[in-house]
Amino acid sequence: MRKHLLIPFLCALFCGILQAQQPVKPSTSDIYLSIQKLNFLGSVLYVAAHPDDENTSLISYMSNHVKARTGYLSITRGDGGQNLIGPEIRDLLGVIRTQELLAARSIDGGEQFFTRANDFGFSKDPEETLSIWDKNGVLSDVVLAIRKFKPDVIINRFDHRTPGTTHGHHTSSAMLSFEAFDLANDKSAFPDIQKIADVWQPKRIFYNTSPWAFGSPEEFEKADKTNLITFDIGEYYPLKGLSNNEVSSLASSQHLSQGFGRQTNRGSQNEYIEFLKGDALVNNKSVFSGIDTSWNRVKGGKAIGDILYKVEQEFNFKDPSVHLTDLMKAYQLLQAIEDTHWKTIKTKELKFIIEACAGLYLEASAETSSSTPNSKIKINIEAVNRSNATIELVSLSQKDGSTSQQNTVLKPNIKQNIKTDYTISNDETYTTPYWLAEKGSLGMYKVDDINLIGLPETPRHVSVDINLKINDTPITITKHVVYRFGKPEKGELYRPFEIIPEASAKIPEKVIIFENDKQKNVEIIVKAGRDNLEGFVEINHPKDWSVSPEKQTVSIANKDEEQRFIFTIMPPKNQSEGHIKPIIHINNKTYTKERIEMDYDHIPYQTVLEPSESKVVRLDIKKKGDNIAYIAGAGDVVPESLQQIGYQVQTLNPESINADILSAFDAVVVGVRAYNIIDELKFKQQLLFDFVEKGGNMIVQYNTNTRLKVDKLAPYDLKLSRDRVTDENAEVRFLHPNHPILNYPNKITQEDFEGWTQERGLYYPGEWASEFTPILSMNDKGETPKDGSLLVAKYGKGHYIYTGLSFFREFPEGVSGAYRLFANMLSIGKEDIKQAENLKK
């Protein structure tokens, strides 16, 4: 699946991200806009906490109207959010959201950066946030980002002066940025990063405010605006055929995993930024007032500017190749300047423009989408000169230093296909997110290579240098190797070329629950990264568990084929838990990672290598009622988790729900945020209430308190709030210790709330009818008790249960107590069965 771009001309300079490195095909409007940006030497860095926090309108305005080099520093990758498009959460969701940010930047024209901070979930204040993050480590990363990007101006999305009024990550991002503003120019601060980025002092720092930050539009009108810059971000761009707010809408709509897809809008719209510190404002009109953003700001730049401003003023939209002589002259002068920062940035931009003006189409494509280290692949170099310029393809160079002489004149519009072998070195790193390569902490990813810190992706090294002469001037254009293929139903498609291990292993179930001491068969799937894979696989397991057989032979003839193995796992007699890990042995090498592949329309194909392991839990659990209907929401593994403990679970299509179908089930479970995203449920809600009234159980998991698709969440009054308990270790108090839900069929104790992950729960009801019984009370430090995490109401012959407890996070982690409590929720009202059984005895 690949995204069909609505506006490919938006992506002229940055579009290589979307469509998985598909070659950019700029129009002359794109080229002209790129020349305008080439002639602006100024930078803006926008800072916030998460993907989708960024103001795409402001980023687009700075990039497309002001023409500034514009970056977004997202402190985290959004790993702690929810996923509305698939089952991936935590690390894998962070990979998706990283790519969504890159997709957004490819549209609004910005660049993307990160720190090592892990989005551990909602935080109520910056004190908690910075204690879980390594404050000094994240601050170092922010300083590094400033020193590398060298912004003239920093704009914070959030206010550093208002802790406790918003997500702790939000305020922390502003606090870190404000502190880093001065530290970036302090040689005594973080000296270890100076070897890759020298000190830098931005000129100004701002806060991206709004009338609502003053309390109300009326209060804003009365406020002192001495330090405020106001500008209209509704600018219309004739060369794009779009207004800035349309570009912004398209960019923010890339955040599909968070449900940020939205309609475009047009028209005048004011934006406000408040000056915080730095060089005094000159006229309150521009963030760059008093800053030289011309070529004159670099030594030797005037001569380059004289050429390039003339190209901009006299740009030939019908035949941009007429500018190649001047562009190549400017390119030669640019290579001689001393300012390595601007030299690197502007060389990249100028090469793009030269290639575009020459009508050059250059592509390096492999015959396969992946290969392993220490291998050879066949690639095809396609080169077409679609102009009358004199262009010679001199040679092709590979990373290993090998060069093949070509000395071929690229005649106008005559395609050259050059077949060649490419050698992948034995020490080539695997294609996987670098921040996931090693296990980090709750608040921080572990990245040992300082050169990688802050990068959005792992750099791709499989590339070809295409050495040219244009008008007898040497120039090298580098192309990353891609995989190009076609499908009859989709047309031409591209994927990134990837380096993979020769073998990978997968256990489909990430948590395997043993509800008793009976053995279970577990499947291990071994996937070949090359042809003719031979070896064996075994399972590492806890000492009190047993596995049979000890090992099995791996023999796979073809790359990407899989071989499946069944191992029998025997649990201990008593409650226990641990991890099992497959180990593949191939030619005295071992492989222990799973190759995870994610394919969504709006982002490039992703490959992630993570340790292949599953948690095994010998659980002391009882349950009543067997048949469960599940209505999927925003994506979780609750159905699979319930199947693990012996339930028969059927996922229902909301459109097919009727009384007859529901009558076959003991309980209905509604997935997380289902009432936020499924329109059809507004027509099915009464059927579900009728099911409860006739004796069924209905469990509704958390929803947000906005954008609800139904008028009534429950058969009785129930109002959601924003209450949440973010401390996963917060004390849990039993409000009604004798209630059946805490006693039958499993006795729930404080031990069942140990080992929870990320949070206790979220979006608890704040108000409820007297028919509901609150079961649990909990709160974060310094807050009032929150009693709405688990509410139970008898309705007719059945029970309705609403819970904001984060079962969707606890089940994938194999938290025993979460399984036991959920089993009780499903079993409620079945006590009469127990009594009948006792009577029979």
Side-chain angles (χ1 to χ4, degrees), residues 128 723 835:
E128 178 194 38
D723 288 348
Q835 294 168 358

Side-chain angles (χ1 to χ4, degrees), residues 674-688:
Y675 289 118
N676 294 131
I677 64 173
I678 303 175
D679 291 315
E680 186 67 23
L681 286 179
K682 72 178 72 172
F683 308 114
K684 304 296 182 177
Q685 191 74 322
Q686 189 57 51
L687 286 172
L688 294 170

Side-chain angles (χ1 to χ4, degrees), residues 442-462:
L442 172 64
M444 295 288 285
Y445 283 116
K446 188 175 187 296
V447 182
D448 292 327
D449 187 348
I450 193 173
N451 294 290
L452 294 175
I453 293 174
L455 298 182
E457 298 180 286
T458 304
R460 295 182 182 274
H461 299 129
V462 182

Side-chain angles (χ1 to χ4, degrees), residues 547-562:
V547 173
S548 178
E550 289 187 4
K551 62 182 180 181
Q552 297 189 55
T553 300
V554 173
S555 180
I556 305 177
N558 300 309
K559 174 187 170 184
D560 288 332
E561 283 188 354
E562 296 177 341

Side-chain angles (χ1 to χ4, degrees), residues 573-781:
K573 293 290 183 182
N574 300 316
Q575 187 158 316
S576 173
E577 61 183 54
H579 291 87
I580 58 173
K581 305 173 185 179
I583 304 174
I584 309 168
H585 299 260
I586 308 291
N587 293 332
N588 297 318
K589 293 182 179 180
T590 58
Y591 299 91
T592 60
K593 292 195 172 182
E594 175 184 356
R595 175 156 48 118
I596 301 166
E597 296 161 323
M598 295 182 287
D599 198 1
Y600 287 101
D601 286 351
H602 65 305
I603 60 175
Y605 187 91
Q606 295 296 300
T607 297
V608 181
L609 297 175
E610 288 202 327
S612 181
E613 64 177 24
S614 290
K615 187 174 184 180
V616 287
V617 180
R618 164 66 174 94
L619 182 60
D620 180 15
I621 190 169
K622 303 178 181 66
K623 63 186 190 305
K624 294 294 180 182
D626 295 319
N627 298 315
I628 310 299
Y630 195 81
I631 301 171
D636 55 54
V637 293
V638 172
E640 296 87 343
S641 301
L642 296 179
Q643 288 170 343
Q644 286 273 0
I645 56 176
Y647 285 105
Q648 303 296 317
V649 183
Q650 180 179 339
T651 299
L652 299 182
N653 180 342
E655 294 182 359
S656 67
I657 292 174
N658 59 48
D660 288 339
I661 287 176
L662 293 175
S663 66
F665 298 101
D666 298 300
V668 173
V669 179
V670 182
V672 297
R673 296 187 65 180
Y675 289 118
N676 294 131
I677 64 173
I678 303 175
D679 291 315
E680 186 67 23
L681 286 179
K682 72 178 72 172
F683 308 114
K684 304 296 182 177
Q685 191 74 322
Q686 189 57 51
L687 286 172
L688 294 170
F689 293 160
D690 293 344
F691 164 76
V692 178
E693 190 174 28
K694 293 175 183 177
N697 290 336
M698 180 178 178
I699 299 174
V700 178
Q701 297 178 88
Y702 101 93
N703 290 266
T704 64
N705 60 353
T706 58
R707 302 180 185 176
L708 286 169
K709 304 292 186 180
V710 293
D711 296 326
K712 289 186 65 178
L713 269 176
Y716 306 115
D717 289 341
L718 183 71
K719 186 175 181 180
L720 299 181
S721 71
R722 297 183 65 86
D723 288 348
R724 62 203 302 160
V725 176
T726 61
D727 181 358
E728 63 267 34
N729 299 309
E731 178 191 5
V732 176
R733 299 173 293 275
F734 296 170
L735 296 174
H736 294 83
N738 295 322
H739 194 282
I741 212 164
L742 294 176
N743 293 277
Y744 183 79
N746 303 288
K747 178 68 175 178
I748 302 300
T749 69
Q750 289 297 328
E751 290 184 1
D752 290 299
F753 291 94
E754 295 177 1
W756 284 54
T757 182
Q758 186 162 329
E759 63 201 354
R760 288 296 190 197
L762 61 170
Y763 286 96
Y764 297 164
E767 300 176 22
W768 51 85
S770 60
E771 287 85 354
F772 282 105
T773 300
I775 304 299
L776 307 172
S777 180
M778 59 190 73
N779 56 272
D780 284 320
K781 182 180 178 181

Side-chain angles (χ1 to χ4, degrees), residues 800-819:
Y800 176 96
I801 299 174
Y802 188 92
T803 180
L805 293 172
S806 58
F807 290 102
F808 70 101
R809 295 198 192 283
E810 312 316 317
F811 284 171
E813 298 298 324
V815 177
S816 301
Y819 280 90

Side-chain angles (χ1 to χ4, degrees), residues 158-175:
F158 301 105
D159 192 345
H160 68 286
R161 301 160 295 191
T162 56
T165 59
T166 181
H167 196 320
H169 296 184
H170 293 169
T171 310
S172 295
S173 71
M175 293 168 64

Side-chain angles (χ1 to χ4, degrees), residues 228-301:
L228 217 60
I229 295 180
T230 305
F231 41 86
D232 185 351
I233 58 169
E235 291 280 346
Y236 176 65
Y237 305 131
L239 290 173
K240 294 181 182 295
L242 294 168
S243 62
N244 187 72
N245 25 27
E246 287 177 295
V247 176
S248 166
S249 299
L250 290 164
S252 63
S253 289
Q254 302 310 303
H255 295 297
L256 296 182
S257 66
Q258 300 301 292
F260 270 62
R262 61 189 176 104
Q263 294 178 318
T264 57
N265 58 78
R266 288 148 288 278
S268 179
Q269 180 181 334
N270 283 338
E271 191 70 56
Y272 307 92
I273 58 174
E274 177 191 356
F275 173 73
L276 297 177
K277 65 177 175 179
D279 292 357
L281 294 177
V282 178
N283 53 19
N284 285 43
K285 293 293 184 183
S286 169
V287 299
F288 288 102
S289 58
I291 301 172
D292 187 356
T293 58
S294 73
W295 277 101
N296 293 330
R297 81 177 291 172
V298 298
K299 183 180 178 181

